[in-house]
Amino acid sequence: QVQLVESGGGLVQAGGSLRLSCAASGSGSTINAMGWYRQGPAKRRELVATITSGGSTNYADSVKGRFTISRDNAKNTVYLQMNSLKPEDTAVYYCYADVTERTLRYDYWGQGTQVTVSS
């Protein structure tokens, strides 16, 4: 099994920056894609950004040019650098990992970290 531990959320003013981190732990597993999703108040969970083990990235249109996802495969850690934050970025941000254990693939989620952007 894999555990995902997130850090880096908080309160920031509009235009500010935050960096989220998510460390994956567990043995006997292969971590494939990792990423970030978010769920705002009264909204459905939505994709923010993903990154494959090879470094290919995908972003939601709403964050392109402002957010950057990266990962350190040696540390099994994924990062989300968020710049030019807007009040509409306020949400709980969840780390995600696509994991292969033996021959089966599983989705793992972190506990979520709150990001609040004040206007």
Side-chain angles (χ1 to χ4, degrees):
Q1 283 199 342
V2 170
Q3 288 187 325
L4 302 177
V5 178
E6 300 141 337
S7 61
L11 172 65
V12 65
Q13 288 188 331
S17 299
L18 282 174
R19 188 190 194 212
L20 305 183
S21 300
C22 173
S25 62
S27 60
S29 304
T30 300
I31 299 175
N32 306 308
M34 299 184 77
W36 295 91
Y37 286 68
R38 68 186 181 187
Q39 187 166 12
K43 294 183 179 179
R44 302 178 69 174
R45 189 174 296 189
E46 62 178 4
L47 178 145
V48 176
T50 60
I51 184 168
T52 68
S53 57
S56 296
T57 58
N58 179 49
Y59 294 92
D61 288 342
S62 59
V63 306
K64 283 181 181 177
R66 301 187 298 121
F67 291 10
T68 302
I69 189 169
S70 61
R71 68 188 282 175
D72 184 335
N73 289 333
K75 296 181 179 180
N76 286 332
T77 300
V78 64
Y79 307 95
L80 186 67
Q81 178 66 44
M82 305 184 292
N83 299 327
S84 302
L85 282 160
K86 304 174 181 180
E88 50 263 43
D89 294 317
T90 295
V92 178
Y93 283 71
Y94 296 92
C95 177
Y96 158 82
D98 167 19
V99 176
T100 300
E101 297 176 358
R102 296 185 179 156
T103 60
L104 299 178
R105 296 181 76 146
Y106 300 89
D107 293 339
Y108 285 92
W109 295 90
Q111 78 283 1
T113 185
Q114 177 70 47
V115 172
T116 303
V117 184
S118 62
S119 58

